[in-house]
Amino acid sequence: MSADRRPRVVISMGDPGGIGPEVVVKALCDAGLRARARVRVLGPAWAMSAAARRGGLKEFWSVVPAGVRGADADDGVVVVDSGEVGPFEAKATARGGAISFRAVEEAIRLARLPADDDDRADAIVTAPISKEAWALAGHREFPGHTERLAARFGRGGAGESAPGVAMMFHAPGVREGAPTLNVVLVTAHVPLARVRESITMGRVLEVIRLGAEAMQRLGVREPRLAVCGLNPHAGEAGLLGDDEERVIGPAVEAACELGLDVRGPFPGDTIFGQALKGRFDLVVAMYHDQGLIPVKLLAFDRAVNVTIGLKGIGGAPAVRTSPDHGTAYDIAGADRADPGSMHAALALAIRMASRG
């Protein structure tokens, strides 16, 4: 095995027609960040070079063709070139979808290698993809990264609420020392009309447990969790809905019986403020916008998406993070993309992978 004990992080470049290549280049310009890990970027080297030229940046990486084993460099960054040459259209295309899908597949393959394999990835960071482009490329069954990761890591099928997997968001405060908001979702990429039927006692309990484990991995020894209700005012004692009394409340009680510090269900319009005051380490939200609106309001360019519950070979936790924004085709190629969220995703992946 390699004597270099820094974690190996693989970055899938995302849709080459979006801002993925640009934010990857800009984030990795931080020499201090890239010195903490062995980094491989998967995708077209052409797109990385083009992004650097547009920003007037000097290339700091080496390039190897796809399929090369042991592709690490002393300075920490290698681009594993998939071979495609641009320019790439700044819109959802079958070509862009196929390129980004293959990069994710290779990242997953590396993360699923045995722990003693020198090519094994300790963490995956995914740059933005287009769900429409994946569909155009023939991968309509996977609405996004989370669903594909869940299927490939053997945690369920293509459905959003795959057993054992959940989406968590880490939103740092605006200033150093400002409160951080952590949110985990019971449901994510499902239509709002189907959210209620997707919320079961078993699923809520599972997400509570996964969230507590993830916070411990982030260094919070005894995390305090708050659980949102689904209905306005958390159901108002059944007057505005019975999901809290029928499903969510019993899941909270079951989690407490497991020894977890969990409270709720709380009204979704007030609990995030309580978390920002430091009373809770993690908020369990019932659906996508309930959790993502406060996250993006607080830290749109700094928040990180973390897939929790993934298990690699031998059952070891597999780390996956990503920025919380999309492909931003409207500004792709204009050197206007903010790399803050990608930088935060890389930093968090390195932190989590370094904890083992």
Side-chain angles (χ1 to χ4, degrees):
M1 294 184 66
S2 172
D4 191 339
R5 307 313 301 167
R6 294 176 301 166
R8 179 182 287 113
V9 177
V10 294
I11 304 172
S12 59
M13 199 184 298
D15 193 308
I19 62 171
E22 180 182 336
V23 294
V24 169
V25 169
K26 288 180 175 179
L28 287 173
C29 278
D30 182 346
L33 179 69
R34 63 179 189 256
R36 293 164 48 199
R38 294 169 291 164
V39 179
R40 294 183 189 176
V41 182
L42 311 177
W46 187 95
M48 288 278 286
S49 296
R53 285 195 302 272
R54 286 192 296 267
L57 303 172
K58 182 179 179 181
E59 294 188 14
F60 48 80
W61 57 85
S62 57
V63 179
V64 300
V68 173
R69 284 183 57 84
D72 290 321
D74 292 338
D75 63 0
V77 180
V78 174
V79 175
V80 181
D81 184 17
S82 58
E84 296 86 2
V85 176
F88 300 100
E89 293 182 85
K91 64 179 184 179
T93 65
R95 185 189 185 205
I99 291 170
S100 61
F101 189 84
R102 285 196 298 269
V104 172
E105 288 290 283
E106 176 62 7
I108 293 171
R109 185 189 72 80
L110 293 170
R112 296 184 72 245
L113 290 173
D116 60 353
D117 192 309
D118 281 344
D119 265 0
R120 182 183 183 273
D122 301 297
I124 298 171
V125 179
T126 57
I129 59 97
S130 163
K131 297 176 177 62
E132 180 184 357
W134 273 22
L136 290 171
H139 306 295
R140 184 179 298 273
E141 71 272 27
F142 300 109
H145 283 115
T146 303
E147 296 78 13
R148 185 55 181 157
L149 286 158
R152 288 283 277 115
F153 276 91
R155 308 294 288 177
E160 180 277 329
S161 295
V165 175
M167 293 176 67
M168 189 177 88
F169 292 83
H170 175 79
V174 177
R175 303 174 307 281
E176 184 72 25
T180 294
L181 180 64
N182 296 296
V183 178
V184 65
L185 306 180
V186 172
T187 68
H189 298 140
V190 296
L192 191 58
R194 285 178 28 214
V195 165
R196 189 171 188 263
E197 68 189 51
S198 301
I199 296 174
T200 64
M201 179 181 168
R203 176 61 180 170
V204 175
L205 177 59
E206 178 179 62
V207 173
I208 291 171
R209 179 182 56 78
L210 291 172
E213 291 176 357
M215 293 308 300
Q216 289 171 340
R217 193 168 176 80
L218 285 172
V220 182
R221 182 173 299 179
E222 297 180 353
R224 302 160 299 164
L225 280 68
V227 178
C228 291
L230 173 63
N231 298 294
H233 300 194
E236 197 74 74
L239 295 175
L240 300 177
D242 67 351
D243 304 88
E244 289 74 16
E245 294 182 344
R246 180 175 51 85
V247 175
I248 303 171
V252 171
E253 293 175 6
C256 290
E257 291 175 0
L258 294 176
L260 300 176
D261 185 352
V262 188
R263 301 181 187 182
F266 295 105
D269 60 353
T270 57
I271 193 55
F272 296 97
Q274 298 300 309
L276 282 172
K277 290 179 181 178
R279 295 177 183 174
F280 298 100
D281 302 299
L282 176 69
V283 178
V284 180
M286 291 299 113
Y287 58 94
H288 186 278
D289 286 11
Q290 185 183 56
L292 267 293
I293 288 173
V295 165
K296 293 193 175 184
L297 182 63
L298 176 71
F300 182 79
D301 291 324
R302 300 177 312 283
V304 179
N305 176 10
V306 185
T307 304
I308 60 175
L310 298 174
K311 303 291 184 182
I313 299 295
V319 175
R320 179 263 176 166
T321 67
S322 75
D324 73 339
H325 56 70
T327 52
Y329 289 129
D330 58 322
I331 61 170
D335 192 39
R336 291 167 48 198
D338 188 325
S341 188
M342 175 56 79
H343 187 283
L346 278 163
L348 189 63
I350 294 169
R351 174 182 167 192
M352 295 180 76
S354 297
R355 293 186 66 88

